[in-house]
Amino acid sequence: MEVITSRVFVCFLALLGLILAIVSPAVEAQSPVPAPAPAPAPSSDGTSIDQGIAYLLMLVALLLTYLIHPLDASSSYSFF
């Protein structure tokens, strides 16, 4: 009798372990919630900003060139 009860107990523990192994991952799962929306795409990336700054600096360089070197051929022009 003692051997039968120990076998039943071992089978019960094995069955209980199997049930817990199957149910445990479901316990850790979160409730179904909608996934958050992806982040919106940036309205402007860094390259367009860099290009705008470059155009502005080229315009400043062009204006300075025309202000510093006005009509080199004309000797009657005095800027300052």
Side-chain angles (χ1 to χ4, degrees):
M1 254 342 228
E2 206 173 294
V3 175
I4 295 177
T5 56
S6 65
R7 282 189 182 172
V8 170
F9 184 68
V10 169
C11 287
F12 173 74
L13 286 180
L15 186 61
L16 182 66
L18 183 64
I19 291 172
L20 287 177
I22 292 172
V23 173
S24 292
V27 171
E28 295 176 10
Q30 297 177 356
S31 61
V33 203
S43 58
S44 66
D45 56 349
T47 55
S48 61
I49 294 172
D50 289 344
Q51 188 176 10
I53 292 172
Y55 280 133
L56 182 68
L57 290 175
M58 285 193 297
L59 181 64
V60 168
L62 182 65
L63 290 174
L64 284 176
T65 301
Y66 281 121
L67 290 175
I68 293 173
H69 304 288
L71 298 172
D72 284 334
S74 170
S75 59
S76 65
Y77 184 79
S78 114
F79 184 72
F80 292 106

